Amino acid sequence: MTRITKVLAISASPSPHSKTAKFVEHVIHRMGTSDLAFTHLRLRDIPGDSLLTGQMDQADVANAVKSVEDADAIIIATPIFKAAYSGLLKAFLDILPQFALAGKSVLPLATGGTIAHVLALDYALRPVLQSMGARHIIQGYFLPEADITQDNGQFHIKESANAQLMETLYHFQCVLGTPAADKMLGHPRPERVSAAWCLPSLDARH
Ligand SMILES: Cc1cc2nc3c(=O)[nH]c(=O)nc-3n(C[C@H](O)[C@H](O)[C@H](O)COP(=O)(O)O)c2cc1C
């Protein structure tokens, strides 16, 4: 029986006409295979007050947090604002449990106005994802808005940008082919830290 891998795609723009959200749909379309089940979570759909204060008794907030818990892998897509990821994304990451990404593979994506800020994914977002225990964060992909065209609501990206995107998605797909046997990978689990299987090289030195 084929195992279905659950991929949660989070888009983090406050805009109702978000290029980032359309980019996510484009990626889902490109990656779509029968063994991957995608859900697209648009953070702008969560009422701002409930999100900022982490009101877990609000269904929108609770469902969003649960969707992260349930996912095998996560795509995190943000517009670049002021040389960093969006405040909306930060608000959501802040209400998740500290090790919410343990056991999960993560693909960071961004859209932005200038490639001068291409490294924002690495210097701003990656450390946060790492601190949340992600099992594997693959090389992110930054889509400059100059490489996007939209005709009659159809979203396209330039062929040169597309080639690089395909390479990134191939990388992500390879990682998805080896789902974590241990859903807690990346979580500190204090009771295991001194276990022999965890530190064999240290044990061997004494
Ligand atoms: C307030 C604001 C700040 C922005 N700051 C940057 C920036 O520092 N670097 C950058 O590359 N693009 C910047 N942009 C451009 C957006 O990242 C770009 O338009 C993005 O594609 C918007 O995505 P969205 O349509 O999903 O909101 C900024 C846009 C806005 C509205």
Side-chain angles (χ1 to χ4, degrees):
M1 198 177 73
T2 313
R3 184 185 179 280
I4 304 294
T5 301
K6 287 185 268 183
V7 184
L8 174 69
I10 299 171
S11 62
S13 170
S15 165
H17 309 292
S18 168
K19 290 184 276 285
T20 310
K22 287 178 189 151
F23 179 36
V24 163
E25 289 298 314
H26 177 85
V27 164
I28 290 174
H29 181 70
R30 286 300 180 114
M31 288 188 70
T33 60
S34 56
D35 53 350
L36 299 179
F38 288 94
T39 307
H40 184 179
L41 171 64
R42 294 168 178 80
L43 296 183
R44 76 175 303 278
D45 291 343
I46 305 175
D49 272 6
S50 312
L51 180 64
L52 280 172
T53 50
Q55 288 174 36
M56 294 300 169
D57 56 340
Q58 298 296 311
D60 288 325
V61 177
N63 291 340
V65 171
K66 181 79 167 59
S67 67
V68 172
E69 187 186 327
D70 290 346
D72 298 302
I74 304 200
I75 296 170
I76 296 186
T78 179
I80 302 298
F81 290 156
K82 304 286 192 286
Y85 56 91
S86 72
L88 186 55
L89 179 56
K90 185 72 168 93
F92 183 58
L93 295 176
D94 284 352
I95 64 165
L96 294 176
Q98 168 145 22
F99 294 101
L101 300 180
K104 303 179 198 302
S105 298
V106 182
L107 167 61
L109 299 175
T111 68
T114 167
I115 55 163
H117 291 155
V118 67
L119 283 176
L121 284 177
D122 287 326
Y123 70 69
L125 184 57
R126 181 173 289 264
V128 180
L129 304 179
Q130 188 68 42
S131 81
M132 296 176 71
R135 172 172 70 107
H136 193 80
I137 307 166
I138 76 156
Q139 188 68 44
Y141 177 86
F142 178 102
L143 177 63
E145 58 187 343
D147 287 347
I148 300 171
T149 53
Q150 301 194 64
D151 318 314
N152 297 324
Q154 291 288 323
F155 180 94
H156 300 284
I157 68 177
K158 266 191 195 160
E159 205 40 54
S160 53
N162 205 44
Q164 199 193 332
L165 173 64
M166 288 301 109
E167 188 60 31
T168 302
L169 298 187
Y170 173 66
H171 186 168
F172 189 45
Q173 218 134 15
C174 289
V175 172
L176 295 181
T178 55
D182 181 346
K183 288 295 210 181
M184 292 285 278
L185 268 182
H187 193 286
R189 286 181 294 194
E191 74 278 11
R192 292 239 196 146
V193 168
S194 60
W197 59 264
C198 218
L199 298 167
S201 55
L202 284 183
D203 287 351
R205 271 187 248 153
H206 294 293

